[in-house]
Amino acid sequence: MLSFACRRTLLCRALNRGVCQIVGGVISPLLANIALHGLETAVQEAFPERRYDLPGRPQWRPLVVRYADDFVVLHQDRAVIERVREIVAAWLSRMGLELKPSKTRISHTLEPHHGLVGFDFLGFSFRHHTRDARGRRYRKGFHLSIRPSTEAQRRHYAELAGQIRMRRAVSQTDLIAVLNPKIEGWSDYYRVIGASQTLGRMDHLLWRRLWRWAIRRHSGRSREWVAARYWPTLRSRGAQERVWTFRTTDGYTLARHARPSRRHVKVAGTASPFNGDHVYWASRLGRHPQLSRTWATLLKRQCGRCAACGLHFLTLDEVIEADHRIPLTLGGTRALGNLQLLHGHCHDRKTAADGSDHQRRANTHRGWRQPRGQRR
C-alpha cells in the first residue's frame, strides 16, 4: 500500500526540572512511553475502521507506530494525515507538549513531496520503488525498500573513523577490541533487513581507513609487507590465498558488517515479557530467566510446539517433559540435538512405541545398570 507518512518528534514545552535533567539518558524512552501512553488509541478511535462508501471498503484507520517520543503515522489519504496532525496536537496540548516543527513533515513513499521521497525512522529509510536495480518494473507496480538511513551510516562511519584516529599508536589487538563491539552491535541492529550492499560498503570504507592506519604506522615499509603484516595470507583449499581480513597473527579477527540476515518476527498482539507468558517469550528469544537454558533453546527450536503432536504449549503449568529422540537405553546421548520437549501424554505414547521403557525394565531385571553418565 502506497501511503503518506507523517514523521513527528515531540518538543518538550513545560516539564519538571527533574525530568529535564535526564532527557537523553537511558530512562528517557521509559518516561516518554509513560507520558504518551494512549496516543495511538486516541488517533485510531477518531476514524472509522472502514469506509463503506468507497469501492472495496478500504481500511480507513491510520496506522500509528511509536517508539518513545518518535512516531510515524501511515495512511493512503493525505487529508487523513492532516487531520491526524490536528488530533495529536490537541491531545499533546493537555500535557504541555507540542510537535517540533523542524522534525515534523509529511512525505510520500513513492512520489516526491516537497522534494523528498520516503521517510527515516529509528535509523531506517523507507521508500517505494517502481523499478529494480536493473531497470525492470516490478510485477506489483512497486516494491518497498528498507535500508539503513544515510544519516545512520554517516554517524556509524564517523564513530569508527574517530576511534581509529584516536588510536594511531595502539596495537592491532587493542584496536580490534575497540572496533568489534561497535561493528557487531550496528550490524546486528540492521540484520533484520536485506542490506547486504550497504553493509558491504561499510566494510569497504572501514578497510580503506584501516589501510591508511597501517601505512602510517609503517611508512618505511612496502605495501606488500604491510598487507602481509595486518592482512595475513590464509591457507584455503590447499592453496595460499589472500583473504582481506584484518586479523592478528594469533587469529584475533576484526568483525565484519556483512553477515546473514535474520528477519524480524513481529510480537504477537499485545504480548509483553511481564505478562507471565513464559512459553511464548522463551520460544521467541531462546532464553528466559525462569527457564533453564536447555528448555528455552528447545522451545525456540520447536517454535513453542510439542515435537510429537505439533500443538502449542500454552503454559508452563501443563505437563511438559524433556525426551531423548533416541533413548539412552538404545544408544542415544544426552546431547542437545537428541533432546525434544513433549506433552506428558505424548511422551508416554512415544516411550511405549519405541520400546525404551520395556528395554529399561529388562535391563533392570537382569541386574544391569547404565553407566552414571548415561542413566536416563
Side-chain angles (χ1 to χ4, degrees), residues 42-49 60-62 79-81 83-84 87:
V43 172
Q44 293 181 347
E45 289 182 349
F47 298 89
E49 183 175 359
W60 205 247
R61 284 182 177 172
V80 173
I81 295 294
R83 174 59 180 156
V84 169
I87 295 174

Side-chain angles (χ1 to χ4, degrees), residues 190-207:
Y190 290 105
R191 284 183 66 181
V192 297
I193 59 176
S196 57
Q197 293 183 353
T198 301
L199 298 179
R201 177 175 173 270
M202 297 303 299
D203 280 330
H204 175 68
L205 294 176
L206 181 59
W207 174 85

Side-chain angles (χ1 to χ4, degrees), residues 16 63 100 113 121 125 127 131 138 146 166 169 276 283 322 359:
N16 294 331
L63 176 63
K100 189 173 183 178
H113 184 74
F121 184 62
S125 178
R127 63 174 300 178
R131 298 178 182 271
Y138 289 105
I146 306 177
M166 290 189 300
S283 304
Q359 181 66 31

Side-chain angles (χ1 to χ4, degrees), residues 22-91:
I22 58 178
V23 169
V26 294
I27 201 175
S28 293
L30 174 61
L31 294 177
N33 285 330
I34 295 174
L36 301 180
H37 180 69
L39 175 62
E40 301 93 327
T41 304
V43 172
Q44 293 181 347
E45 289 182 349
F47 298 89
E49 183 175 359
R50 291 182 178 274
R51 284 285 300 272
Y52 293 95
D53 57 331
L54 297 178
R57 298 184 298 178
Q59 293 186 357
W60 205 247
R61 284 182 177 172
L63 176 63
V64 183
V65 182
R66 181 178 64 85
Y67 177 78
D69 61 343
D70 201 1
F71 63 97
V72 173
V73 181
L74 301 173
H75 200 272
Q76 62 267 33
D77 194 319
R78 181 180 176 182
V80 173
I81 295 294
E82 296 285 0
R83 174 59 180 156
V84 169
R85 174 187 285 182
E86 299 175 359
I87 295 174
V88 173
W91 190 86

Side-chain angles (χ1 to χ4, degrees), residues 309 311 318-319 321 342-350:
C309 64
L311 298 179
E318 60 181 316
V319 180
E321 298 178 353
L342 304 175
H343 288 114
H345 56 278
C346 294
H347 191 194
D348 295 339
R349 285 200 299 266
K350 188 259 185 186

Side-chain angles (χ1 to χ4, degrees), residues 278-280 282-283 286 291-316 318-325 335-348 350:
H278 306 319
V279 174
Y280 172 78
S283 304
L291 292 177
S292 66
R293 182 72 183 193
T294 300
W295 272 55
T297 302
L298 292 175
L299 282 172
K300 182 177 181 180
R301 188 175 67 186
Q302 299 175 200
C303 300
R305 299 173 180 267
C306 174
C309 64
L311 298 179
H312 282 283
F313 297 119
L314 299 180
T315 65
L316 293 180
E318 60 181 316
V319 180
I320 303 176
E321 298 178 353
D323 170 68
H324 297 87
R325 297 173 183 271
L336 184 62
N338 193 42
L339 294 178
Q340 60 183 355
L341 293 180
L342 304 175
H343 288 114
H345 56 278
C346 294
H347 191 194
D348 295 339
K350 188 259 185 186

